[in-house]
Amino acid sequence: MSNHVFLIDSNKTPLNPVHPAQARKLLDSEKAAVFQCYPFTLILKRVIENPNVYPLTLKIDPGSKFTGIALVTNQGNVVWAMELQHRGQQIKDALLHRRAVRRGRRNRNTRYRQARFLNRKRPDGWLAPSLRHRILTIETWVKRLQKFAPLDSIAQELVKFDTQAIQNPEISGIEYQQGTLKGYECREYLLEKWNRQCAYCGVKDVPLEIEHIQPKSQGGSDRISNLCLACHKCNQRKGNRDIKDFLKGKSDVLKRVLKQAKTTLKDAASVNSTRWALFNTLKSFGLPVSTGTGGQTKFNRIRFSLPKAHWIDAACVGVVNAIKLVTTKILKVKATGFGGRQRCQTDKFGYPQKHRPLRPILGFCTGDIVRANVPKGKYKGTFTARVCPMSHGYGEFVIDKKRRSIKLDYLTSIHRKDGYEYA
């Protein structure tokens, strides 16, 4: 079943989301019109005095690559959900490329300039652009949902992976010997680090046990870098043997295990870096904000026998007494940005080929989602796609991996470019 449809009156006051069947009836009877496609919203053609609305809780499961968002009623019904894909790694790669070009230019043209160090000071609470992007995109969607849904509270998964040093900056002595993550969801950390599979045989979807790479009987510690996950058979076969003896003849597996044991969780670090900044941002909306841990989310999901998904994890955040998935077809959103600032497009040799316009052409901008209704000709028919308008009155489309050129007079705008891709 699809997401419920957002509904607002003519004063743009948010009302209760309605079932898709009820939304079709409102459209067929011409009592409402389409206000926005993403998220799909209807606007009534009259004002509702003193509307009787039931409050919704906005639940967020923030992640490094994906963030799950769900709207849940007081009875535990998930009426609307989405998954937001971030582009933090793309931002980092673009910044690294720009830095390489800048340094190369300086080396070529200003070799005499002395290097400067410690001449910039970052403000308190500064976050890298790739991390700040995650907070800004979530903030954008919370603002959108607040316009179309009667929200009364927000729930956020605040702690997914929590290291001992963050909780206790004064850690010292024997506390270090007790392991980096002792008492702080160590198993959840290992499940993410080892991709929820056995480190030795790679089997998935079986009960996994925490295993010491270097046995404790041979001086191994409980530090997270000495722990991995193993199935029961591999754990029993290894016993207290040295890992080099256990994986004798499997040099590739030995090399992979030792390398992965020393790697850190990059995604977990990004979540840790942005959790409090996101929490403070959500508080600025003026709604009560509650929090929950990653272990609590997993407990709720297993208790109600729900599958693993980002939006389902979002629905399971915090204290949950009951939950029912009213929707299964959710909105999937991918952050793409607004494109480059380069006006001149070049061919593969670097020669100017064409120029992007600064202003809209006949009301259309590059990246707008439009519906084309071509009455005749080679491309006769109706289809929906993104357009790249040209100054000569035609627009380019890519449909079925083929480029088409259609007159702009045949186009009707559906959704303006906003830096996101929808599915």
Side-chain angles (χ1 to χ4, degrees):
M1 185 177 294
S2 301
N3 279 335
H4 278 40
V5 178
F6 293 123
L7 185 66
I8 57 177
D9 66 1
S10 56
N11 285 340
K12 298 182 180 179
T13 302
L15 305 175
N16 293 331
V18 297
H19 192 275
Q22 186 177 355
R24 284 192 292 269
K25 291 181 180 179
L26 292 175
L27 289 174
D28 294 340
S29 61
E30 298 183 353
K31 294 182 180 180
V34 177
F35 180 77
Q36 185 171 304
C37 284
Y38 303 104
F40 192 67
T41 307
L42 299 183
I43 181 170
L44 292 176
K45 297 182 179 180
R46 64 188 181 94
V47 178
I48 304 297
E49 300 291 344
N50 300 322
N52 183 19
V53 297
Y54 55 81
L56 297 174
T57 300
L58 175 63
K59 295 194 172 186
I60 303 174
D61 176 33
S64 174
K65 298 178 182 178
F66 292 89
T67 290
I69 299 177
L71 294 180
V72 185
T73 64
N74 291 337
Q75 290 75 28
N77 296 330
V78 183
V79 297
W80 192 90
M82 66 171 283
E83 287 183 358
L84 174 61
Q85 182 177 352
H86 302 292
R87 63 184 191 100
Q89 187 60 39
Q90 297 178 12
I91 294 176
K92 180 181 178 182
D93 294 340
L95 290 175
L96 291 178
H97 176 71
R98 190 175 73 177
R99 183 179 68 177
V101 174
R102 180 176 65 248
R103 289 182 175 180
R105 182 177 65 249
R106 287 176 178 175
N107 290 333
R108 291 192 304 269
N109 301 329
T110 57
R111 300 185 183 185
Y112 58 88
R113 193 173 76 175
Q114 296 294 326
R116 297 178 297 173
F117 300 96
L118 302 178
N119 62 338
R120 296 175 180 86
K121 183 179 179 181
R122 293 171 177 170
D124 295 337
W126 178 88
L127 290 173
S130 59
L131 299 179
R132 187 64 184 168
H133 152 79
R134 297 179 175 93
I135 299 175
L136 294 177
T137 51
I138 296 175
E139 181 184 8
T140 297
W141 278 95
V142 173
K143 288 181 179 178
R144 291 186 182 184
L145 296 178
Q146 196 174 25
K147 292 180 181 178
F148 305 135
L151 304 180
D152 71 334
S153 61
I154 300 176
Q156 174 201 353
E157 185 180 287
L158 181 63
V159 181
K160 186 174 184 182
F161 306 107
D162 202 346
T163 61
Q164 202 168 7
I166 291 179
Q167 288 292 319
N168 182 16
E170 304 298 329
I171 182 173
S172 62
I174 194 174
E175 295 178 354
Y176 275 114
Q177 301 173 12
Q178 295 176 344
T180 312
L181 297 175
K182 185 175 178 61
Y184 291 103
E185 301 181 353
C186 175
R187 184 176 180 82
E188 290 299 312
Y189 185 97
L190 292 174
L191 285 171
E192 292 291 334
K193 183 174 183 178
W194 295 94
N195 301 321
R196 300 178 182 272
Q197 62 184 14
C198 177
Y200 302 128
C201 65
V203 65
K204 295 183 177 180
D205 300 326
V206 299
L208 298 175
E209 303 172 355
I210 297 179
E211 207 271 326
H212 291 77
I213 298 176
Q214 183 181 1
K216 295 189 68 175
S217 60
Q218 299 183 16
S221 67
D222 289 329
R223 295 186 63 83
I224 201 69
S225 58
N226 191 46
L227 298 178
C228 69
L229 292 176
C231 62
H232 182 71
K233 291 183 179 179
C234 291
N235 196 6
Q236 290 296 318
R237 285 202 305 264
K238 181 176 180 296
N240 63 346
R241 285 191 292 170
D242 187 83
I243 187 172
K244 295 181 180 180
D245 297 334
F246 176 64
L247 297 177
K248 188 176 181 180
K250 299 180 180 179
S251 58
D252 53 341
V253 179
L254 175 63
K255 184 178 180 181
R256 175 181 57 82
V257 171
L258 294 179
K259 181 180 179 181
Q260 191 169 354
K262 295 181 180 179
T263 58
T264 58
L265 264 180
K266 180 180 178 181
D267 294 336
S270 63
V271 172
N272 273 341
S273 301
T274 57
R275 54 182 181 163
W276 287 113
L278 177 60
F279 177 76
N280 293 328
T281 300
L282 296 177
K283 286 174 57 178
S284 65
F285 288 97
L287 298 174
V289 180
S290 59
T291 61
T293 67
Q296 188 179 18
T297 300
K298 182 178 179 180
F299 172 77
N300 292 331
R301 189 182 73 244
I302 295 176
R303 181 161 59 105
F304 294 105
S305 302
L306 298 175
K308 171 69 176 176
H310 298 286
W311 65 277
I312 294 179
D313 283 346
C316 296
V317 170
V319 179
V320 178
N321 297 323
I323 187 169
K324 181 181 179 181
L325 301 183
V326 179
T327 177
T328 54
K329 297 181 181 179
I330 65 170
L331 178 64
K332 294 188 177 182
V333 183
K334 180 180 179 181
T336 59
F338 285 90
R341 300 176 183 176
Q342 183 179 356
R343 297 291 98 192
C344 178
Q345 289 183 327
T346 60
D347 57 15
K348 62 180 180 179
F349 301 106
Y351 291 102
Q353 192 176 23
K354 57 185 178 180
H355 294 268
R356 295 176 179 173
L358 288 173
R359 297 180 180 179
I361 299 177
L362 297 180
F364 299 102
C365 295
T366 300
D368 289 352
I369 302 177
V370 298
R371 178 181 291 110
N373 188 7
V374 184
K376 59 181 180 179
K378 182 179 179 181
Y379 303 124
K380 181 180 179 180
T382 302
F383 53 87
T384 302
R386 293 185 181 269
V387 63
C388 178
M390 303 295 179
S391 57
H392 50 67
Y394 283 79
E396 285 189 354
F397 297 84
V398 177
I399 301 176
D400 298 332
K401 298 183 180 180
K402 295 181 180 179
R403 182 173 295 181
R404 300 182 181 181
S405 181
I406 297 177
K407 203 171 183 179
L408 295 179
D409 296 339
Y410 299 146
L411 306 183
T412 302
S413 179
I414 295 180
H415 192 81
R416 295 295 182 184
K417 177 183 65 173
D418 57 358
Y420 296 96
E421 183 178 316
Y422 303 95

